């Protein structure tokens, strides 16, 4: 990630940011790009310390970036949702250790009707918040902003509760977050989206293997 980022900033500086005049935004972007894949990798390992990395290096930096791009829903979610949810998750995960490996936390799966409820909640949040944001003159892409926020919040809640479906919410989040970055002209963040997508696939496979192995052990 560091090599790709360095290469892009040296050889394609004009392509990664439409506005490169704000040093703070560039620094926040670099920190977020490096920290996001690290955090995602730690989640794949079922490590509770991913939440500390998230608070220290992702939530604050991304809030600053989102505010600069007038993406207010994502900015508020980063500060008011992700920081508290990361704190609660850190302590909650510690109470659900795997019996065989204390470095792991137990994970589980949703029922089909719970999946439907989450989809309906995401759609409702996106429409209502998107409409409210559209009333703010300088707010950019209000409905997409709200939709990305809703997907991120769904991921956060599911991750807090240790459900495997958090990976599906995260897949969708990354896709639409990439669209949001492209529309906003903040192309540099596509580097971290690409890295997180790879780590998300890895993490999803790891969690599936864990669930299957524990089910097999219970049957035996």
């Amino acid at each position: 990630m560091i090599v790709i980022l360095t290469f892009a900033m040296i050889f394609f500086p004009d392509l990664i940011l439409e506005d490169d005049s704000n040093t703070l935004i560039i620094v926040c972007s670099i920190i977020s790009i490096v920290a996001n894949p690290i955090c995602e990798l730690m989640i794949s390992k079922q490590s509770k310390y991913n939440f500390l990395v998230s608070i220290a290096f992702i939530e604050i930096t991304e809030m600053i970036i989102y505010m600069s791009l007038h993406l207010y829903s994502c900015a508020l979610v980063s500060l008011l949702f992700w920081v508290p949810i990361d704190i609660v998750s850190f302590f909650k995960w510690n109470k659900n250790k795997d019996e065989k490996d204390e470095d792991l936390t137990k994970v589980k799966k949703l029922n089909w009707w719970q999946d439907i409820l989450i989809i309906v909640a995401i759609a409702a949040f996106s429409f209502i918040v998107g409409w409210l944001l559209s009333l703010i003159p300088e707010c950019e892409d209000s409905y997409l902003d709200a939709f990305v926020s809703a997907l991120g919040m769904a991921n956060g809640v599911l991750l807090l509760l240790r459900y495997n479906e958090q990976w599906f919410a995260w897949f969708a989040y990354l896709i639409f977050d990439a669209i949001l970055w492209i529309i906003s002209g903040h192309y540099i963040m596509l580097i971290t989206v690409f890295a997180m997508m790879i780590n998300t696939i890895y993490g999803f496979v790891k969690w599936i293997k864990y669930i299957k192995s524990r089910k097999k052990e219970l049957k035996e």
Side-chain angles (χ1 to χ4, degrees):
M1 283 306 305
I2 294 174
V3 170
I4 293 173
L5 176 61
T6 304
F7 181 85
M9 296 197 70
I10 292 175
F11 296 101
F12 306 103
D14 296 333
L15 297 180
I16 59 177
L17 283 172
E18 283 190 353
D19 181 12
D20 58 1
S21 60
N22 193 323
T23 304
L24 175 61
I25 300 303
I26 294 175
V27 171
C28 287
S29 298
I30 293 172
I31 293 173
S32 179
I33 286 170
V34 175
N36 263 300
I38 293 174
C39 183
E40 197 76 1
L41 186 61
M42 294 176 74
I43 293 174
S44 72
K45 302 292 186 180
Q46 295 162 245
S47 171
K48 67 177 183 178
Y49 295 104
N50 81 85
F51 301 110
L52 299 184
V53 174
S54 180
I55 293 172
F57 301 106
I58 298 175
E59 311 311 343
I60 304 301
T61 57
E62 291 198 350
M63 182 202 68
I64 294 172
I65 296 169
Y66 284 129
M67 285 297 293
S68 71
L69 298 173
H70 307 295
L71 300 171
Y72 300 123
S73 178
C74 288
L76 289 174
V77 166
S78 292
L79 182 63
L80 301 180
F81 174 80
W82 276 112
V83 171
I85 208 79
D86 282 343
I87 294 173
V88 173
S89 296
F90 177 79
F91 292 104
K92 187 174 178 62
W93 272 41
N94 198 39
K95 297 178 181 179
N96 297 278
K97 293 180 179 179
D98 182 79
E99 294 90 346
K100 297 179 66 176
D101 189 344
E102 290 190 352
D103 291 330
L104 300 180
T105 189
K106 295 179 182 177
V107 296
K108 47 191 178 179
K109 295 181 69 175
L110 291 173
N111 297 319
W112 65 268
W113 59 269
Q114 293 173 316
D115 290 329
I116 295 176
L117 283 177
I118 290 173
I119 293 172
V120 171
I122 290 173
F125 179 93
S126 303
F127 178 78
I128 295 171
V129 175
W131 177 75
L132 291 173
L133 289 173
S134 67
L135 302 178
I136 304 175
E138 68 272 19
C139 186
E140 300 288 342
D141 306 296
S142 59
Y143 286 98
L144 180 58
D145 182 11
F147 183 52
V148 170
S149 298
L151 289 172
M153 292 173 68
N155 165 259
V157 173
L158 292 172
L159 183 59
L160 165 65
L161 300 176
R162 298 168 290 108
Y163 282 109
N164 189 56
E165 283 76 6
Q166 65 94 8
W167 292 111
F168 293 107
W170 196 243
F171 272 122
Y173 171 85
L174 290 176
I175 292 170
F176 287 96
D177 194 41
I179 295 172
L180 195 61
W181 291 128
I182 292 171
I183 294 174
S184 303
H186 207 72
Y187 309 115
I188 191 173
M189 296 302 289
L190 295 178
I191 298 173
T192 195
V193 171
F194 174 74
M196 284 194 294
M197 186 63 77
I198 294 174
N199 276 347
T200 298
I201 295 171
Y202 171 75
F204 177 70
V205 172
K206 286 277 291 183
W207 278 38
I208 287 293
K209 286 183 176 180
Y210 169 86
I211 291 171
K212 287 183 177 180
S213 66
R214 292 301 180 267
K215 281 184 177 180
K216 185 178 179 180
E217 290 171 3
L218 289 173
K219 287 181 181 179
E220 294 175 348

